[in-house]
Amino acid sequence: MLVRTLFLLGLLLLPGALHAEATRVEKAGFASRLTIYLAKGPPDACGPGCDRWIAIEGEIDGDAAPRIRRFLAGVKDTQRPIYLHSPGGNVEQSYVIARLLRSRKAIARVGRTIATACAAGTQVDAACLKLKNAGGEVEAELTTYRAMCNSACGYLFLGATSREVAPDAALAVHNSRLVLLLHGHPAPEAVAEYRQRRILSADRDRAAFIAAMGISRELDALIRTVKFEDLHVLTRSELYRFGIDTRPLAETTWTLEKEARPFIRKIATMKKENGSSFRTMEWRLSCESSKRVPLTFAGEIDETVIGKSMIMMTADADKDEEAGGFSLRVGKYEVWRGSIDSDMVKAILASRSLHVREIISMPDDKTDITRFDIDLTGLAPVWTQLKSSCALSTRGPISSWPAIPRQAAPWQASHWPTSPWTASPPPTVSTTPSNAPSP
């Protein structure tokens, strides 16, 4: 019988789950063992009124689920969000952890937790891991930029009942690999037969798991087409269509870019009204010039829309202060660049939302208006950082503009493609015209 000739340990693993790959995982910035800890950041670090979260990061090892179970049993606040940053690992363990998250009705997001005490070095050296595993609350910062939840981590992520993938983070999938540990010298045909049975069983388990998590079977169909050696980063449309992240508008936090000419950036992706496709947009606030603050907007052009586009923006605190104007086309993007005075800056910093109107002037003299709000939470402290950075900055070259979020690479950060928007700084466009259409 097969069981008498084979002693097999079959595990569904990702690269790095084998001991021979551990060094590669470490070099990629991930610990070779899944780590979970409590983190605390500045006000609104994880959203309005949220400054505490649970971090889960590293490779999903073969003993991860029991540790996660014990840890979560001691965290009574089930509404504390969980941020994941992992290259993947053991698929079977990810299923178990996913069901733990489902039982808690967990809130899960893709994000990197950066422990403040470890910022000078790596986040996975021995001292930093000791700090994270000490059992206390770790002072940390949170970012979604280049955060990833790949392969087996994606299954873990599906267990949460609330799931969010920021525009500058990534959820990537591929087919799994069956690794067999053979003892003795079994016949090749017996090994091939056993392997085939295990693969078929694994495919059935994955399909059943995805269905149990309430996710479209399209995800399983897609996974079957992606080779183990590759990774497919799910697009915003796929995240929405599969039922993974069903937000029609997804945003990054306000982020300071410390370049020769510093600026603050926010990126958002918004579902188009007709259809399932999404449009990416970006806002930038730059260093003050002559007591005015440069404000720039860029958005992907909808080629199906005919007409001239105008962007108008107001803040909660003072809706009489308004900025915007007609956009200019720069490649595949429409760009408005102007400036706002100190009163509007104060209004924006005192507000929770930036109210945006996009106005399309049609050839038949009709107008089409799209309204949406952009979250201003967290802008105030970043604005303070910008002012300090501006005081120390030099007049260097301006970075590529606009800067669409870069897709996550499976392992090495060096694989992240550079921005496809390589246009020079957009032309200056006048501020709010006097004949701007009203709602």
Side-chain angles (χ1 to χ4, degrees), residues 136-158:
E137 206 167 53
V138 177
E139 292 286 339
E141 296 179 356
L142 188 61
T143 180
T144 56
Y145 179 58
R146 289 188 176 180
M148 63 181 72
C149 181
N150 293 347
S151 196
C153 178
Y155 303 131
L156 191 160
F157 183 71
L158 297 183

Side-chain angles (χ1 to χ4, degrees), residues 318 321 341-348:
D318 189 349
E321 291 285 343
D341 59 24
S342 59
D343 288 339
M344 187 162 187
V345 173
K346 292 177 182 178
I348 289 175

Side-chain angles (χ1 to χ4, degrees), residues 196-227:
Q196 184 62 26
R197 290 207 323 258
R198 284 296 307 272
I199 291 174
L200 291 175
S201 175
D203 286 345
R204 289 193 298 269
D205 290 345
R206 183 185 62 240
F209 170 80
I210 289 173
M213 295 299 107
I215 304 301
S216 170
R217 285 182 290 182
E218 288 183 86
L219 174 60
D220 180 61
L222 172 63
I223 290 172
R224 290 171 184 263
T225 68
V226 183
K227 293 181 180 179

Side-chain angles (χ1 to χ4, degrees), residues 270-271 273 356-360 368-372:
M270 187 174 69
K271 184 177 177 292
E273 291 186 3
V356 181
R357 301 198 320 275
E358 285 197 279
I359 304 160
I360 307 295
D368 180 48
I369 302 176
T370 300
R371 297 180 177 85
F372 57 95

Side-chain angles (χ1 to χ4, degrees), residues 313-321 344 346-356 372-377:
M313 295 166 280
T314 59
D316 286 340
D318 189 349
K319 294 184 180 179
D320 292 332
E321 291 285 343
M344 187 162 187
K346 292 177 182 178
I348 289 175
L349 296 177
S351 301
R352 279 292 187 182
S353 298
L354 183 69
H355 305 298
V356 181
F372 57 95
D373 292 343
I374 292 299
D375 189 11
L376 294 173
T377 301

Side-chain angles (χ1 to χ4, degrees), residues 73-128:
V75 181
K76 303 306 179 183
D77 181 9
T78 60
Q79 294 303 300
R80 183 177 291 204
I82 298 172
Y83 282 83
L84 300 165
H85 182 51
S86 168
N90 188 300
V91 172
E92 293 169 340
Q93 291 289 300
S94 73
Y95 291 163
V96 177
I97 299 170
R99 292 186 172 98
L100 289 175
L101 299 189
R102 182 55 56 97
S103 67
R104 289 175 63 89
K105 298 182 178 179
I107 300 167
R109 300 165 186 160
V110 180
R112 291 189 294 135
T113 300
I114 303 172
T116 305
C118 310
T122 70
Q123 292 289 309
V124 295
D125 60 18
C128 192

Side-chain angles (χ1 to χ4, degrees), residues 286-300:
S286 306
C287 295
E288 293 184 60
S289 176
S290 301
K291 297 183 179 180
R292 295 185 69 87
V293 176
L295 171 63
T296 313
F297 165 84
E300 291 178 296

Side-chain angles (χ1 to χ4, degrees), residues 220-240:
D220 180 61
L222 172 63
I223 290 172
R224 290 171 184 263
T225 68
V226 183
K227 293 181 180 179
F228 169 76
E229 295 77 13
D230 301 325
L231 271 177
H232 173 78
V233 178
L234 295 177
T235 65
R236 182 58 50 179
S237 295
E238 288 170 338
L239 290 169
Y240 185 88

